[in-house]
Structure formats: structure tokens, C-alpha cells
Amino acid sequence: DTAVSQTPKYLVTQMGNDKSIKCEQNLGHDTMYWYKQDSKKFLKIMFSYNNKELIINETVPNRFSPKSPDKAHLNLHINSLELGDSAVYFCASSQSSGPTDTQYFGPGTRLTVL
Amino acid sequence: GENVEQHPSTLSVQEGDSAVIKCTYSDSASNYFPWYKQELGKGPQLIIDIRSNVGEKKDQRIAVTLNKTAKHFSLHITETQPEDSAVYFCAAPSGNTPLVFGKGTRLSVIA
């Protein structure tokens, strides 16, 4: 009965590789997000999709490409991984994209780039 | 853009005491202020939120107060327990960004 799920939970890879993180929500929400949490716990939004359409792209390098095959899924593909990409990535969802809609977070994916 | 300042960055309290975490925001149009709790190895979980049409909201041992004039809001936890130990984040919307998060407060409740 998990609301927002992510796979994998841990991802260890070499610099230069390409990797993907998957996210699914079963809440029937229209809006999904990707956040990056750095080693100092700072949580910052990367992307937001509403009904499969990109609505927010917070100056993220174009090596990061989100894809939403349907409104229940938002995947994150990262090309040419760099050391600075090491972080915990959280997926979240909300009923709509309104500023007062509660966001529900997934358990996170810890990415380590060696 | 929105700037959400949160303090303290760390807080230690004795079990049973109260804990208060404060946040200030810069966007006067902000009208929704959630608080999230993040336990080790888990994602942030909403614990309480407040909208700008009220000044205070309580849920058992947790309360949030909002002062729109001063642009600050606070989280109050009473009768703290060891399981309250976690990192707490405040957040506020700004412009097209649904939520801008504070830098977090690591709360330790000492038994």
C-alpha cells in the first residue's frame, strides 16, 4: 500500500555512466516532483510534472532528463554522471500543482558516484 | 525568489521538555506553510501544516504558529519523546516554485 515508491533505494556507479531512477505513485495525484538532497540535507526541487507535462525545471543540467510515461510515473535519467551528482534523490507527488497542495515524498534513492 | 531561513540548525532537549523551531520567509504572497519530519534513511513526512487564514494549528503534541506580518512561523513540540528525534524542515511556496525548504533542524531528544 506504498503511496510513493522509488527504485532503486541505493545506486552506486562510476563517473561517466548513465543511470535511471524510477518513481511511481498510487495516490491518483496529477503532479509529481524530483528533489535533490545534498550531504548537508539541503532539499531542492529539480523538476515538476503535471499530467505528464513539465511545469518546473529549476536550472538543472541537461544531463538530467525526466520522463513521465503517465501521470502515475516520473522517472529520472542521468547521463554522464559526475561526482557532484552524489546525493539522495526524492520523488514526491501532490493532488495538483497548486501552491497549497500537500506533497508526499517517496523513501529516496541514494546515488553514489565513484 | 523565496528565501526560507530556519533555526536552530541543531537542537537538543531532555525528554519531556518542549522544542521550538522557527522559520522566516521573504515572499509576502506565500500562503501555505508545511512542516516535514525526516527520520534517518527515510523521506520527509508531513507532520503539520498551516494556511494563511489562521494563526495557529494544533495536533496533539505538535502545534504551528504563523505571524504573517512578521513573515515567520514556528513549530512547537511539547512533551518530547525519543521518537521525536529527527530532522525537521519548514517550507513555503514562492512564485512558480511550490515549496522552498529551510535547511533543516536536527532535533535530538535525550532520554
Side-chain angles (χ1 to χ4, degrees):
Chain A
D1 61 346
T2 304
V4 182
S5 59
Q6 296 178 228
T7 55
K9 187 164 175 62
Y10 300 98
L11 187 52
V12 181
T13 188
Q14 300 285 333
M15 269 197 310
N17 284 350
D18 303 337
K19 290 293 179 185
S20 292
I21 307 171
K22 295 186 176 182
C23 177
E24 176 180 3
Q25 54 93 5
N26 63 5
L27 297 167
H29 288 169
D30 288 341
T31 306
M32 296 184 73
Y33 312 82
W34 277 109
Y35 284 85
K36 179 180 181 181
Q37 187 173 49
D38 63 22
S39 58
K40 295 184 178 180
K41 294 288 191 182
F42 185 50
L43 199 60
K44 185 170 167 56
I45 191 168
M46 300 172 68
F47 300 103
S48 174
Y49 270 71
N50 188 59
N51 271 321
K52 303 191 295 177
E53 290 192 16
L54 180 68
I55 55 172
I56 292 174
N57 181 340
E58 288 284 331
T59 60
V60 177
N62 58 14
R63 297 183 296 104
F64 291 78
S65 52
K67 284 186 173 53
S68 183
D70 55 63
K71 73 174 189 176
H73 296 84
L74 180 60
N75 304 323
L76 183 64
H77 188 76
I78 316 170
N79 289 327
S80 304
L81 279 154
E82 300 177 357
L83 292 176
D85 297 332
S86 295
V88 181
Y89 291 84
F90 288 101
C91 177
S93 73
S94 62
Q95 185 62 60
S96 72
S97 58
T100 62
D101 284 307
T102 299
Q103 293 186 26
Y104 298 87
F105 283 77
T109 296
R110 181 176 293 277
L111 171 65
T112 303
V113 182
L114 303 175
Chain B
E2 179 75 282
N3 188 27
V4 178
E5 299 285 339
Q6 181 174 347
H7 58 94
S9 56
T10 59
L11 179 59
S12 291
V13 299
Q14 292 289 328
E15 183 178 0
D17 287 351
S18 295
V20 181
I21 303 170
K22 298 181 179 180
C23 284
T24 60
Y25 60 97
S26 57
D27 187 346
S28 56
S30 296
N31 58 359
Y32 173 63
F33 307 92
W35 285 91
Y36 284 82
K37 176 184 180 182
Q38 186 178 20
E39 297 176 325
L40 193 62
K42 296 185 178 180
Q45 299 295 311
L46 179 77
I47 54 171
I48 196 167
D49 57 15
I50 191 167
R51 287 169 171 77
S52 59
N53 56 344
V54 297
E56 182 175 2
K57 183 177 177 181
K58 289 186 74 172
D59 182 3
Q60 299 181 4
R61 296 186 298 108
I62 294 172
V64 56
T65 58
L66 171 64
N67 183 327
K68 284 220 78 181
T69 303
K71 290 192 277 189
H72 67 71
F73 56 111
S74 300
L75 177 71
H76 305 253
I77 306 174
T78 58
E79 301 172 31
T80 53
Q81 301 166 4
E83 52 264 38
D84 294 330
S85 297
V87 179
Y88 291 81
F89 293 94
C90 63
S94 177
N96 292 328
T97 304
L99 287 179
V100 175
F101 284 81
K103 292 191 175 180
T105 297
R106 185 176 297 278
L107 174 64
S108 300
V109 179
I110 304 164

